Amino acid sequence: MPHTSPPPAHPTRLVPLADAAEHLHVSVKTLRRRIADGTIAGYRVGRLIRVDLDELTQSLVVAIPSARSM
């Protein structure tokens, strides 16, 4: 049985991988790798794979601490 993610608990902004990759300035291949390793969730809609833009931003965008704030 294939691994499936539970549906998100909040309203989603499901977009194609190409749109999400362009939004974050990464490649589609990077997003596919992150889905495969479980870092982000992918949602299958028929034969298509979509990602939630809000969820994606929370998972992949990380603030870099400044040396000045330490």
Side-chain angles (χ1 to χ4, degrees):
M1 178 142 235
H3 173 62
T4 58
S5 301
H10 56 82
T12 60
R13 292 177 28 197
L14 294 180
V15 297
L17 292 179
D19 292 354
E22 184 177 325
H23 178 74
L24 291 175
H25 304 286
V26 298
S27 70
V28 171
K29 189 173 183 177
T30 296
L31 294 180
R32 288 184 184 279
R33 275 194 231 116
R34 296 296 176 242
I35 292 169
D37 71 13
T39 305
I40 61 174
Y43 301 96
R44 188 169 293 280
V45 180
R47 295 183 62 203
L48 306 172
I49 297 174
R50 300 285 191 249
V51 291
D52 180 349
L53 262 186
D54 297 328
E55 197 175 280
L56 191 65
T57 302
Q58 288 177 345
S59 298
L60 295 182
V61 178
V62 179
I64 300 172
S66 171
R68 294 180 189 178
S69 66
M70 296 183 135

